[in-house]
Amino acid sequence: MMNNPTFDLSTIGEGQIRLTVNRGERLMSARSVRMNPACSEANVAGLLSQLGRKTQWSSSLPDGDLGEYVLSEYRSVGVNMDAMIRKPGGRMALYFMEPGEAPMPANVIYDREWTPFRATGIEEYDWDTIFDTKILFLTGITAALTDTTAQVVRYAADEAHKRGIDIVLDVNFRSKLWDGEHARRVLEPIAKMAKVLFCSISDARKVFGIEGSAPDVCKAIRARFGNEYVVSTNHLDGPYLCGPNGFTSYVTTPVPIVDRPGAGDSFVSATIHGYLSGDIKQGVAWGQKASEFAITHMGDLTRIRPDELHIPLGSDINR
Amino acid sequence: MMNNPTFDLSTIGEGQIRLTVNRGERLMSARSVRMNPACSEANVAGLLSQLGRKTQWSSSLPDGDLGEYVLSEYRSVGVNMDAMIRKPGGRMALYFMEPGEAPMPANVIYDREWTPFRATGIEEYDWDTIFDTKILFLTGITAALTDTTAQVVRYAADEAHKRGIDIVLDVNFRSKLWDGEHARRVLEPIAKMAKVLFCSISDARKVFGIEGSAPDVCKAIRARFGNEYVVSTNHLDGPYLCGPNGFTSYVTTPVPIVDRPGAGDSFVSATIHGYLSGDIKQGVAWGQKASEFAITHMGDLTRIRPDELHIPLGSDINR
Amino acid sequence: MMNNPTFDLSTIGEGQIRLTVNRGERLMSARSVRMNPACSEANVAGLLSQLGRKTQWSSSLPDGDLGEYVLSEYRSVGVNMDAMIRKPGGRMALYFMEPGEAPMPANVIYDREWTPFRATGIEEYDWDTIFDTKILFLTGITAALTDTTAQVVRYAADEAHKRGIDIVLDVNFRSKLWDGEHARRVLEPIAKMAKVLFCSISDARKVFGIEGSAPDVCKAIRARFGNEYVVSTNHLDGPYLCGPNGFTSYVTTPVPIVDRPGAGDSFVSATIHGYLSGDIKQGVAWGQKASEFAITHMGDLTRIRPDELHIPLGSDINR
Amino acid sequence: MMNNPTFDLSTIGEGQIRLTVNRGERLMSARSVRMNPACSEANVAGLLSQLGRKTQWSSSLPDGDLGEYVLSEYRSVGVNMDAMIRKPGGRMALYFMEPGEAPMPANVIYDREWTPFRATGIEEYDWDTIFDTKILFLTGITAALTDTTAQVVRYAADEAHKRGIDIVLDVNFRSKLWDGEHARRVLEPIAKMAKVLFCSISDARKVFGIEGSAPDVCKAIRARFGNEYVVSTNHLDGPYLCGPNGFTSYVTTPVPIVDRPGAGDSFVSATIHGYLSGDIKQGVAWGQKASEFAITHMGDLTRIRPDELHIPLGSDINR
Amino acid sequence: MMNNPTFDLSTIGEGQIRLTVNRGERLMSARSVRMNPACSEANVAGLLSQLGRKTQWSSSLPDGDLGEYVLSEYRSVGVNMDAMIRKPGGRMALYFMEPGEAPMPANVIYDREWTPFRATGIEEYDWDTIFDTKILFLTGITAALTDTTAQVVRYAADEAHKRGIDIVLDVNFRSKLWDGEHARRVLEPIAKMAKVLFCSISDARKVFGIEGSAPDVCKAIRARFGNEYVVSTNHLDGPYLCGPNGFTSYVTTPVPIVDRPGAGDSFVSATIHGYLSGDIKQGVAWGQKASEFAITHMGDLTRIRPDELHIPLGSDINR
Amino acid sequence: MMNNPTFDLSTIGEGQIRLTVNRGERLMSARSVRMNPACSEANVAGLLSQLGRKTQWSSSLPDGDLGEYVLSEYRSVGVNMDAMIRKPGGRMALYFMEPGEAPMPANVIYDREWTPFRATGIEEYDWDTIFDTKILFLTGITAALTDTTAQVVRYAADEAHKRGIDIVLDVNFRSKLWDGEHARRVLEPIAKMAKVLFCSISDARKVFGIEGSAPDVCKAIRARFGNEYVVSTNHLDGPYLCGPNGFTSYVTTPVPIVDRPGAGDSFVSATIHGYLSGDIKQGVAWGQKASEFAITHMGDLTRIRPDELHIPLGSDINR
């Protein structure tokens, strides 16, 4: 790791736009939809930034208003974009969402193919800027898009590993993007380099074929990949933290849902905030609170005041 | 019944417009209201149409935008309107609704008198088109409006019976429109001709004076009118199905309410879909799901995708 | 006239509710409409009240939220309602409006028949409270509704005349409510008692058969009925004032339209404000400004600050 | 007390404006906010007025639209404002509110300093009009603002006491405005003059240092100040009524929250309605219902129809 | 032509969804957008249907809510969809639009590539249903999308020609979709078969290289392709009609713009209505009015009442 | 000037929040208001940032959501805030605005006193960061607030002058904040140090007593203060540029107004962009276009795409 890197966390992922049907309406007769920027990796950076951390996000987005639309959201909370790639033309990744009041399920229509990000190769990224960081944050979503993005993720991991930067990987398996075996082949080498690995109990089974009780699965992941910490969510059970000082189980309280997307990213982000503060155990508890708060307001990026979590600001942390 | 009738279901009923106060506001200080078309019978036809059935609706509505407003809603889901009557001038049936967040009750202000539908007589309807159907669907609401509409409903039933068309009657007793004794006098002869009779446990008592345990009431209705099937809802208990193969009781799960009107019509509609598919037992279960979904979105007409009920499409059914 | 009457102006007219399609939408596909209280006579009282005058309005409205809805609008600007009649049940007068962006014309759908006001007779009004006023304001609209309301208006005029109260009549001919000959028969005797008569050039022709150049018509009206003042609007020409000190012609400046209804009432109201201040000539100029401002915001009642007209407040006027 | 006073209740308090973030949004990224008038004392008067009582409210507000904005809300439900003071210039008391969907807490940002009300002294009020009442209603909020407002409240109480007017005091302790000891010093003499005292169990402890079980605290307050009635709320327990005929405990049912502010004022108001009807015991039950309904719709002033509480109208009460 | 064909007009074209930024907002910071169905060819059919004509539209759209969304719009005005093709999966054609208040230009971001319609071949259409019509309406837009759609359009024209169906072609050149030479190659043979040809003065130059004064261009088109009628718009000049009875020039009045898309389609549609009525000269005048009205309300499909054009209804026309 | 300063422009000014009544509504009856961040100086920085320049803004704002609200707006377009001061507690500067559809005037209610910015002194600013810039931008607004802010502005100017940084001063006289003589005393020394001086013809008269024809005034300003460039707006005439290469007069085209605030700041900002590009003459033309576009969308900060002005991006400029 560089001495005194500029950023606490760097990440790479595709910016998207979400179009959401209003409460009580159906997509097939809607006359207006809410619109908001989205990006799992940028959500993690954006929440950390609000908690006082220095973060940056690299993506590859089409020129023009739709790209600018996504950037300005994350820029507004202070995420650095010096390593952002803009492409002339090309379409924006989109998704439509009908939230679905219970018991009606949410309906998501993805429309994220044929975008520039999918074809942006290793040689186009500004790696020196990206690697000027304590943590490199990667997800299975980006690795899943195309062979090209899988290569980008792998290169980032290999090179960060070489440079002594902490790798944090969120497996985040999406069955609509790839299958478990494919995911395993791509993610396994990266998982082995990860200092902190986020892998849900169900993803552990689907991607890595690890079965058993939830605590056992969490421990088995750590045993298999040798991570310092493994954090596993498990729907309404858990989450679990497994690290050098043993295993911790947390209790999740279900909360009413206003807007679901982004809750998982908030969990990851606040957990990383704890890790950066030297207390990931506390971080997971912050993560629970952050994800609870995330679903009470609209948008993929969680908007939060640091004092809402009763957590120390990045700049206040004694190290 | 005609050979190969064009429609699966024909129905007659008055189109209305609902004006609804927004959540968290009171009618007495509202500045805008939601507006939507409404009609119990057209709701039944409209949901069936979305499920792949051929349906038609006949009504008598004033010329001009308000009438067109109601028609275009049901036309948008494919309900045929070749037998629609339009009148020069005349007012539109309306109702205001303040939904009332619990524990505040909903408040409904009806304003549906003096409309053309109430005075449209037997001789004005296009019966040949109406009777080009497998099922004729009638309700107590239409029968309750005026003597003229009662005659129309009775004529439709008698004539359909003569032509061998299946009659489905939904008693749907509305105490604000008539009293139980009046309803009994008008509906009893029609009930006796009905192949499928929808009559809630409470309507059975109020209209037909049938008392007893809910299952007994359902069976007693069938015994009294000789229907092939009787379907009885019972608030949060039931519903019950009583037919040639015996009695079935279902379990209702309460769901949060976004917008109540139309749920009962959706239940009836999906049940009829089952009946048309040769499996009314499955139909009642579909009806439960359809009515649960109905209250999760606004509008009297339920908007649904066929696959949301995991039900076979009309055109996919092997018979 | 009583010594020191409580009110500057009393009036009688039917409260209504307007439902207006939003800009850029058409009624036949609207999903929400703006809602606002309406009443020509109450608009006049309500604007005067905002200008510092004491006013009251008497009407006959159904009990319940819709009646309360209309009352609270005019009560909010200080119109007194001690002589208000409420009826158990009965429907509310309504009208739908599609404003129509130019060159599309506005489309209005009236739905104001069968209301309690139409059947409320002379004996039901609280005349002592109504006549505790300097001015009694009457309009042709109320006189046009039914024979009963025509009798109420005539009784009010006769009795006010007897008591020495100034009568102000706004002819306000509505061809959808009655024809010119009928209007003449009812309004002529009242016009003769009016101290101030508002009659547009076109109404003078249609109702009273007075033809000629606009200024001549204005003068002819005064000659015929012997009013102290006659005020005549003439579309984009005029208005004209004809009084004991001669004839005055004003210049109208067209302004962009946000919401049209109520502009005429605002003109009348501010003109009366001038009359009450002893300077009706200034009043007509205030009326022009009030009606210009009226069409810049939504709602039938014009909301205005006294200083917006640069006019002396009622309480500030030296007399 | 005067013979036949004009008003059932008079009160004094500062009008405010609330700016509220929409559901599912966060203040830090909101683009529009709901706006509504607010004033604890006017809320009490305004609900009573809707229940058929004659009420008046005195305040001191800046001239211009923002002052008028607040007045027109309470005027719309019939609160008399003959004793209202308007000041040239000066700022309006405001507060921003982010409601916070559970489990996120509500966030309130007060901005109510440097307003004219805080500096309006005893000599500026129109006491003769204010004291033309059966009940004078005072709260700890007004007493807490400044020394000047504390003097106004004290003077009002002393003088009402002298004139034989019933004093009703709502302690309503706000720790952000003053501390318990300060509140005790100011409120104790007033509490001793109060016929009816509203003091929550927790305020009793914080302000008057009264500890013990909830029922004991309620009784101890009455013993200490010698009020005819003491009414104590206790979060989700209670409320309690303690009077000459003994002690009554009520059961509170929690209801879903749409908009919280104003619920306490509605409780107080409907309880006073009972007191005025000669049955405060029933009044507390009405108060529970009023406060339950209050939180189902937006705005600080609760909008209610008299029949919604199944309570006798003011004008129907036999006295 | 068949004897008594079912439809007055059949057409083929791709359904799209438009997402529009609200007035006064910019795309790069919008939080909600208006959404509406769009399709040039369906707009023509939809307006004709509202004018009383029988029309049908064939397209190829993905299964699911977004496809259903577009269909229900045109179905709601009565366009028949018996020849509609639905595809499993596939993306929907979209476009974003920032309307741009003058002098800011409108900004449109197309996102309509990779859709099923582009790959749907001749063999997939239900030609017998499509050709059961008096008029086949084709546009250059559909021909421009891909080689496959160009073949479909050509096949449709050839086959309609063979069957004696009137072909109406709207050149509608879109330089973002293809270049003039390419358009000429594809459209020229179709233009030669067209009974009525819509070709703007500017398209005539760009596609067919026809230069000269506007009237001369219009005549030259007719001379070159031998159409019965040529209709040419020319921005704010014209339009021009050239037919067997000579040349007619019309005067265009500019009107304020609320929402631009769809105006040209409305012009074409109402002109065809005239042609079907045997009076295309009147039709062009109707077309002018229809397009003026089109831009006063939102949505690509113009919503119109037949009487708004003061035009004979389809059913009223003597033939 | 430093070699290679980090920023193109630094500025100091108070962040505010604007609350705006919706079109067609009046403040006194509004139920919701639009909310947006505002700050004249930050608007200038924010537009420059969108044009590709590096800018920073320093202010002194209360901790909490309202402060964060303002910062995130300007941060979203890339304005650097490393020199931002946050204060515990304190109120936010606000203003209410009723836009007023013509001919109704706009009504603004300022509420910006008693804020932390007014009391933030020289010693609290991070001058080294602020002075790491090519241009220091100052306005008369900040100088006008209090003696403390006047001292801050003067100190900034003196020190920048010493360090060789270009000073740009926008006189921006606000008569509600101070009088002309006071403004002259404070601004004159700063004007003399300004490289570029923005001073409208009317401000020149009110503040500096310079009379004469518009072009003469512009030249006289330059003669008096010795600036390199003077830029003078003059309502709908002008603007004028006066520099070493002589005098240039521009022609202003009036455009329809959607939202007025911020137009002047956009003019200044794009003019400075030209100055930074070495072509202020072009800059004034860009300024005209930027201010025209500014009033077509809502918000004080103009949102713009660089290519909308057809202007070279900051990074594209050859120097």
Side-chain angles (χ1 to χ4, degrees), chain C:
Chain C
M1 194 173 69
M2 298 169 68
N3 291 336
N4 275 333
T6 303
F7 299 106
D8 292 304
L9 177 143
S10 284
T11 191
I12 299 170
E14 182 171 33
Q16 296 179 269
I17 291 177
R18 168 157 61 113
L19 298 154
T20 311
V21 175
N22 292 310
R23 180 178 186 263
E25 298 190 349
R26 298 230 57 185
L27 179 50
M28 48 191 132
S29 58
R31 280 291 167 238
S32 81
V33 287
R34 289 186 60 89
M35 183 162 82
N36 73 267
C39 173
S40 192
E41 294 84 359
N43 292 341
V44 170
L47 183 63
L48 271 172
S49 181
Q50 292 174 77
L51 296 175
R53 301 292 177 185
K54 297 271 184 191
T55 66
Q56 75 164 320
W57 168 48
S58 184
S59 191
S60 174
L61 294 173
D63 267 346
D65 287 5
L66 295 179
E68 181 58 28
Y69 181 70
V70 174
L71 298 189
S72 68
E73 172 87 344
Y74 295 103
R75 201 190 283 128
S76 77
V77 291
V79 176
N80 184 289
M81 296 183 185
D82 286 351
M84 188 57 56
I85 301 168
R86 300 299 292 276
K87 294 279 187 176
R91 69 180 299 272
M92 193 72 200
L94 303 173
Y95 73 105
F96 288 84
M97 175 171 159
E98 193 183 61
E101 205 72 9
M104 181 166 272
N107 181 31
V108 170
I109 299 172
Y110 291 105
D111 182 12
R112 60 180 297 180
E113 296 196 61
W114 301 288
T115 63
F117 185 82
R118 293 176 168 246
T120 301
I122 295 165
E123 68 290 355
E124 301 183 71
Y125 286 91
D126 172 2
W127 293 110
D128 281 341
T129 300
I130 292 171
F131 288 135
D132 181 9
T133 184
K134 288 182 193 153
I135 287 177
L136 178 73
F137 176 67
L138 300 170
T139 76
I141 297 174
T142 301
L145 296 178
T146 61
D147 288 349
T148 304
T149 62
Q151 288 158 16
V152 165
V153 170
R154 177 63 183 272
Y155 172 84
D158 287 345
E159 189 66 18
H161 195 57
K162 238 182 281 174
R163 300 190 188 204
I165 296 166
D166 283 359
I167 293 169
V168 177
L169 174 67
D170 185 4
V171 168
N172 226 342
F173 177 66
R174 299 282 167 94
S175 61
K176 290 198 177 173
L177 296 176
W178 53 0
D179 60 43
E181 170 51 24
H182 185 184
R184 190 200 53 71
R185 218 165 46 238
V186 172
L187 296 181
E188 189 148 38
I190 303 171
K192 286 179 173 158
M193 294 182 270
K195 200 85 170 228
V196 182
L197 181 64
F198 290 87
C199 181
S200 73
I201 299 304
S202 114
D203 285 0
R205 189 175 47 71
K206 287 186 232 151
V207 177
F208 302 117
I210 303 175
E211 308 273 357
S213 76
D216 287 353
V217 169
C218 184
K219 290 172 203 161
I221 298 169
R222 185 165 182 263
R224 171 140 155 208
F225 301 120
N227 317 105
E228 187 165 351
Y229 295 103
V230 171
V231 183
S232 300
T233 54
N234 190 22
H235 290 279
L236 296 178
D237 273 339
Y240 315 105
L241 169 69
C242 199
N245 301 316
F247 175 83
T248 314
S249 179
Y250 299 76
V251 177
T252 292
T253 318
V255 299
I257 293 166
V258 173
D259 188 61
R260 198 180 319 241
D265 302 329
S266 296
F267 172 76
V268 167
S269 186
T271 300
I272 293 174
H273 185 57
Y275 174 73
L276 281 164
S277 306
D279 187 353
I280 194 173
K281 201 165 156 184
Q282 174 63 61
V284 175
W286 291 340
Q288 291 186 286
K289 198 151 201 183
S291 62
E292 283 177 8
F293 280 12
I295 61 182
T296 66
H297 58 278
M298 290 178 282
D300 286 57
L301 170 65
T302 299
R303 299 273 178 165
I304 207 153
R305 280 175 278 131
D307 64 335
E308 285 182 316
L309 300 186
H310 302 292
I311 54 181
L313 284 182
S315 55
D316 289 335
I317 295 167
N318 252 338
R319 259 166 305 181

Side-chain angles (χ1 to χ4, degrees), chain B residues 82-249:
Chain B
D82 286 351
M84 188 58 54
I85 302 167
R86 299 299 292 275
K87 295 278 187 177
R91 69 181 300 272
M92 193 71 199
L94 304 172
Y95 72 106
F96 288 85
M97 176 171 156
E98 192 182 63
E101 204 72 9
M104 182 167 271
N107 182 31
V108 170
I109 299 173
Y110 290 105
D111 183 12
R112 61 180 296 180
E113 296 196 61
W114 302 288
T115 61
F117 184 82
R118 294 178 167 246
T120 301
I122 294 166
E123 67 289 355
E124 300 182 72
Y125 285 91
D126 173 3
W127 294 111
D128 281 342
T129 301
I130 292 171
F131 288 134
D132 182 9
T133 185
K134 287 182 195 154
I135 287 178
L136 178 73
F137 177 67
L138 300 169
T139 76
I141 297 175
T142 301
L145 296 178
T146 61
D147 287 350
T148 304
T149 62
Q151 288 157 15
V152 165
V153 169
R154 177 62 183 271
Y155 173 85
D158 287 345
E159 189 67 18
H161 195 58
K162 239 183 276 174
R163 301 191 188 202
I165 295 165
D166 284 357
I167 293 170
V168 178
L169 174 68
D170 184 3
V171 169
N172 227 341
F173 177 66
R174 298 280 169 96
S175 61
K176 290 197 177 175
L177 296 176
W178 53 359
D179 60 43
E181 171 51 25
H182 185 185
R184 190 199 54 71
R185 219 164 45 237
V186 172
L187 296 180
E188 189 148 39
I190 303 170
K192 285 178 175 159
M193 293 182 272
K195 199 83 169 231
V196 182
L197 181 66
F198 289 86
C199 181
S200 74
I201 299 304
S202 112
D203 285 2
R205 190 175 48 71
K206 286 188 234 153
V207 177
F208 301 116
I210 302 175
E211 306 275 356
S213 75
D216 286 352
V217 168
C218 184
K219 290 170 201 162
I221 299 169
R222 185 165 182 263
R224 172 143 155 205
F225 300 120
N227 318 105
E228 186 165 351
Y229 295 103
V230 171
V231 183
S232 300
T233 54
N234 189 22
H235 292 277
L236 296 179
D237 273 340
Y240 313 105
L241 169 69
C242 198
N245 301 316
F247 174 84
T248 314
S249 178

Side-chain angles (χ1 to χ4, degrees), chain E residues 265-288:
Chain E
D265 302 329
S266 295
F267 172 77
V268 167
S269 186
T271 301
I272 293 174
H273 185 57
Y275 174 75
L276 280 164
S277 307
D279 187 353
I280 193 172
K281 201 165 155 182
Q282 174 63 62
V284 174
W286 291 339
Q288 291 186 286

Side-chain angles (χ1 to χ4, degrees), chain E residues 279-299:
Chain E
D279 187 353
I280 193 172
K281 201 165 155 182
Q282 174 63 62
V284 174
W286 291 339
Q288 291 186 286
K289 197 151 202 183
S291 63
E292 283 176 8
F293 280 12
I295 62 182
T296 66
H297 58 277
M298 289 178 282

